[in-house]
């Protein structure tokens, strides 16, 4: 009753109820980053089709398929790394670094856009 209410008020006042562990924060950022990348590729493909009218359906399909194939392989490899000496937090950090590098790479493409985007998104 009363003691739990006082402890709960103390936790709220000192912020201990709202603190996140490193594992929680890494998982949240990783999920956000993955979702952000998936949505942006889906939004970018129609724009690329307008910018490059000579492109084919196969070009767009290669970009979308490489993203899904990369996600499948990434889940398998990332899961194995999480169970290895690297640990879950280490695997999440490694995957985040790879995603950041791939995002920068895909943002700096200037020629042969579809092939490069398919490679960076994998």
């Amino acid at each position: 009753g009363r003691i739990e209410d006082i402890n709960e008020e103390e936790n709220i006042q000192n912020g201990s109820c709202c603190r996140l562990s490193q594992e929680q924060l890494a998982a949240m950022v990783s999920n956000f980053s993955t979702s952000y990348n998936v949505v942006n590729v889906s939004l970018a493909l129609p724009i690329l089709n307008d910018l490059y009218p000579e492109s084919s359906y196969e070009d767009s399909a290669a970009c979308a398929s490489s993203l899904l194939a990369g996600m499948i392989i990434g889940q398998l490899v990332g899961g194995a790394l999480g169970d290895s000496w690297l640990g879950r937090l280490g695997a999440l950090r490694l995957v985040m670094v790879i995603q950041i590098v791939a995002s920068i790479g895909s943002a700096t493409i200037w020629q042969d856009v579809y092939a490069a985007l398919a490679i960076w998104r994998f």
Side-chain angles (χ1 to χ4, degrees):
R2 179 76 181 131
I3 293 175
E4 287 115 8
D5 292 340
I6 292 171
N7 287 338
E8 187 175 330
E9 285 178 27
E10 281 180 19
N11 287 338
I12 291 171
Q13 287 174 357
N14 67 22
S16 64
C17 70
C18 304
R19 289 192 186 121
L20 296 173
S21 68
Q22 281 189 335
E23 292 86 1
Q24 290 171 319
L25 185 61
M28 288 168 44
V29 171
S30 179
N31 285 332
F32 173 76
S33 175
T34 302
S35 300
Y36 184 79
N37 286 330
V38 169
V39 169
N40 281 340
V41 168
S42 300
L43 294 174
L45 288 177
I47 295 169
L48 287 174
N49 290 335
D50 289 341
L51 290 173
Y52 301 99
E54 70 278 0
S55 64
S56 66
Y57 174 76
E58 288 81 15
D59 293 332
S60 293
C63 288
S65 298
S66 69
L67 175 70
L68 292 174
M71 288 176 71
I72 291 168
I73 292 172
Q75 289 291 322
L76 294 172
V77 172
L81 286 173
D83 291 338
S84 72
W85 59 270
L86 197 55
R88 290 181 187 161
L89 185 58
L92 274 174
R93 288 179 176 158
L94 177 65
V95 168
M96 287 300 302
V97 168
I98 292 170
Q99 282 188 333
I100 289 169
V101 169
S103 296
I104 292 170
S106 64
T108 57
I109 296 169
W110 66 90
Q111 55 185 337
D112 199 12
V113 175
Y114 284 98
L117 187 61
I119 291 168
W120 282 113
R121 287 292 109 197
F122 178 77

